[in-house]
Amino acid sequence: MTIEVVELRKSDRFIATEPISGTFGPAEIVILDFSLGGAKLSHPQPLRIGTRGRIAFKRGDIAVSTSAHVVWSHLARTDKGMVYQSGIKLDETDPHYAMAINSLLRAGLLRKDVDSLERKRERLLEREQIRKTLSKPIPTSSGVE
């Protein structure tokens, strides 16, 4: 079975090579990946979709604080147990945020994500296989004697 995955992202994604701690509003977070328009976060407490707040982090001389909102959030299994992961979108383009991504990339703290579409395709295939194994035929009355 082949599943086609369409690229919907407007910019490249960059994966953190080591944890980058920060905050989103009052919540403590770890930033998993960055894009020019947002970030993927990991956090111990749930964040409600639509929540607005400031994402802030500091790494060496690099410090950023900009406004964003949660566009998706779910509980995820990791090698360290269950955590929440959320995607945030910046409320507006922030040149300081973009410069921070560039600086983190040059410092080796980020790497370009080149496998995200393949990982998404594999997740979709896995979900389809699970759906097929769990689906049961719907009984009909036509075969009753």
Side-chain angles (χ1 to χ4, degrees):
M1 170 189 264
T2 303
I3 291 182
E4 182 181 343
V5 179
V6 178
E7 175 63 88
L8 300 174
R9 295 177 180 154
K10 294 180 171 105
S11 63
D12 290 332
R13 178 129 334 162
F14 301 94
I15 298 173
T17 58
E18 57 187 65
I20 298 177
S21 298
T23 58
F24 179 73
E28 297 291 325
I29 60 164
V30 173
I31 304 168
L32 303 174
D33 70 40
F34 294 82
S35 72
L36 290 176
K40 179 179 176 182
L41 315 176
S42 175
H43 43 93
Q45 302 298 320
L47 293 175
R48 177 174 257 149
I49 294 171
T51 300
R52 293 189 178 283
R54 292 196 73 75
I55 180 171
F57 64 92
K58 182 173 176 38
R59 187 61 176 236
D61 294 340
I62 304 163
V64 171
S65 177
T66 191
S67 59
H69 61 278
V70 178
V71 292
W72 62 265
S73 188
H74 60 78
L75 195 57
R77 185 179 316 278
T78 68
D79 55 350
K80 296 177 183 171
M82 300 298 282
V83 297
Y84 289 94
Q85 291 182 351
S86 299
I88 61 166
K89 182 177 180 188
L90 300 185
D91 289 336
E92 57 187 47
T93 303
D94 186 333
H96 296 291
Y97 183 83
M99 288 189 308
I101 291 174
N102 190 26
S103 296
L104 292 168
L105 188 59
R106 285 195 325 261
L109 296 171
L110 300 179
R111 67 176 171 79
K112 188 174 180 181
D113 184 359
V114 294
D115 301 322
S116 63
L117 288 180
E118 181 59 25
R119 286 192 310 272
K120 185 175 184 179
R121 188 184 70 72
E122 288 172 2
R123 280 192 313 272
L124 291 172
L125 281 170
E126 184 178 300
R127 286 182 192 154
E128 181 64 19
Q129 290 298 328
I130 290 170
R131 187 188 67 75
K132 283 182 178 179
T133 59
L134 295 178
S135 66
K136 298 178 182 175
I138 299 172
T140 62
S141 61
S142 61
V144 177
E145 293 184 36

